[in-house]
C-alpha cells in the first residue's frame, strides 16, 4: 500500500504542485481513507519528502540502466535526459523550486545527497568521454561538472526567468546541447549532431 500511495502522490504532485495537492485529494484519488495515508506518513511534509526520495530513486535506476547499455557518453546523456523527462513529463513548475519555496526543510535534507550523486554521474561521464576522445582532454572535469549543475539549478529555481517564461523540459534540452557543444571534440560533434538530428 505504501508504494501505491507514493506512486499516486508523485503523479499528483508533479502534475498539480506540492502545495496545491491535499492529503484528502490523494486519498480520494486512491479510494482510501486519509487515515490510511497517515499510517505511513505523519504529515504532508513527510509524504513530500518520501515522494521526492521515491522520484530520485527512480532517476538513479534510470541512470544505472542506461549506463549498462554501454552507449557513447553523449548518447548516454541524451537517453538519460529523455527517460527522466518522460518520468517528469507532467512537471509544470520545477520540483526543485517548489521544494525550496514551500518545503525548505525537505529541500535541505535532500539537496546534498542529490547533488553528490549527480556530480559523480556527470564526472564519470566526462572522464569516460575524454578517454574515448569525444570530449576535449583540456576540460577541467571538476569545474565543468559543477558548472553544469549550477546552470541547471539556476534554471530550475527560476533565478533569471519568470515561472511562466520557460518550460522546464525544452529548456533543459537547450542547456544540454549548449553544454555538449562547449566540450566536444570533432569526433564528439559528429555524435552530437547525429543525436540532435535524429531527435533521440
Amino acid at each position: 500500500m505504501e508504494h501505491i500511495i507514493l506512486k499516486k502522490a508523485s503523479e499528483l504532485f508533479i502534475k498539480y504542485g506540492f502545495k496545491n495537492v491535499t492529503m484528502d485529494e490523494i486519498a480520494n484519488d486512491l479510494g482510501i481513507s486519509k487515515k490510511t495515508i497517515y499510517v505511513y506518513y505523519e504529515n504532508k511534509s513527510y509524504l513530500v519528502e518520501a515522494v521526492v526520495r521515491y522520484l530520485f530513486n527512480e532517476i538513479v535506476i534510470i541512470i544505472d540502466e542506461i549506463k549498462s547499455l554501454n552507449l557513447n557518453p553523449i548518447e548516454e546523456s541524451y537517453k538519460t535526459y529523455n527517460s527522466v523527462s518522460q518520468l517528469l513529463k507532467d512537471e509544470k513548475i520545477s520540483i526543485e523550486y517548489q521544494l525550496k519555496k514551500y518545503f525548505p526543510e525537505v529541500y535541505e535534507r535532500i539537496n546534498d545527497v542529490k547533488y553528490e550523486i549527480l556530480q559523480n554521474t556527470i564526472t564519470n561521464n566526462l572522464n569516460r568521454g575524454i578517454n574515448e576522445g569525444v570530449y576535449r582532454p583540456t576540460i577541467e572535469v571538476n569545474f565543468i561538472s559543477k558548472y553544469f549543475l549550477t546552470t541547471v539549478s539556476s534554471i530550475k529555481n527560476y533565478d533569471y526567468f519568470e515561472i511562466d517564461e520557460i518550460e522546464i523540459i525544452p529548456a533543459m534540452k537547450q542547456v544540454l546541447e549548449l553544454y555538449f557543444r562547449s566540450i566536444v571534440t570533432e569526433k564528439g560533434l559528429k555524435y552530437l549532431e547525429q543525436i540532435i538530428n535524429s531527435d533521440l
Side-chain angles (χ1 to χ4, degrees):
M1 176 54 74
E2 184 175 8
H3 181 78
I4 293 171
I5 292 171
L6 277 178
K7 193 170 185 304
K8 176 54 67 177
S10 69
E11 291 170 3
L12 294 174
F13 284 148
I14 289 171
K15 191 169 185 177
Y16 300 109
F18 288 100
K19 185 183 178 184
N20 297 329
V21 177
T22 66
M23 301 289 263
D24 280 314
E25 287 169 335
I26 296 168
N28 289 340
D29 225 64
L30 285 168
I32 62 174
S33 163
K34 185 168 65 171
K35 289 180 180 178
T36 304
I37 298 177
Y38 285 122
V39 168
Y40 300 98
Y41 306 104
E42 186 178 327
N43 55 45
K44 185 176 176 180
S45 182
Y46 279 94
L47 177 58
V48 166
E49 182 167 349
V51 163
V52 174
R53 290 186 185 278
Y54 163 77
L55 289 171
F56 194 64
N57 185 59
E58 291 294 302
I59 291 171
V60 169
I61 290 170
I62 287 170
I63 291 171
D64 289 341
E65 286 178 348
I66 292 173
K67 274 183 182 177
S68 71
L69 300 176
N70 295 316
L71 305 171
N72 76 65
I74 301 171
E75 188 177 3
E76 176 184 274
S77 296
Y78 268 90
K79 202 166 190 66
T80 301
Y81 156 80
N82 283 332
S83 296
V84 172
S85 296
Q86 187 60 32
L87 176 68
L88 304 176
K89 65 182 184 297
D90 292 325
E91 182 184 27
K92 302 295 188 300
I93 300 176
S94 159
I95 289 172
E96 188 170 327
Y97 172 81
Q98 292 182 65
L99 289 178
K100 201 169 184 179
K101 185 170 184 179
Y102 303 118
F103 298 91
E105 70 291 343
V106 175
Y107 177 83
E108 289 300 325
R109 283 197 293 272
I110 289 174
N111 193 52
D112 287 344
V113 175
K114 180 201 77 173
Y115 187 87
E116 183 179 353
I117 291 173
L118 292 180
Q119 189 181 7
N120 286 339
T121 299
I122 294 166
T123 297
N124 290 337
N125 181 276
L126 287 170
N127 284 324
R128 191 160 70 84
I130 291 170
N131 291 335
E132 294 182 15
V134 295
Y135 302 152
R136 290 184 286 107
T138 53
I139 64 173
E140 208 290 295
V141 170
N142 186 53
F143 170 77
I144 293 296
S145 64
K146 289 181 178 179
Y147 168 79
F148 179 72
L149 284 173
T150 301
T151 302
V152 170
S153 181
S154 176
I155 290 174
K156 289 195 169 186
N157 279 298
Y158 304 100
D159 289 342
Y160 303 105
F161 298 93
E162 297 298 326
I163 289 176
D164 58 357
E165 189 177 354
I166 57 170
E167 293 180 46
I168 291 296
I169 290 175
M172 288 302 104
K173 192 168 186 178
Q174 289 192 56
V175 167
L176 206 57
E177 181 179 344
L178 289 169
Y179 163 72
F180 282 118
R181 287 191 181 279
S182 71
I183 64 173
V184 294
T185 60
E186 286 188 21
K187 177 182 175 181
L189 183 59
K190 290 177 183 177
Y191 283 130
L192 178 60
E193 290 183 338
Q194 285 172 4
I195 290 167
I196 291 170
N197 290 333
S198 68
D199 198 31
L200 177 68

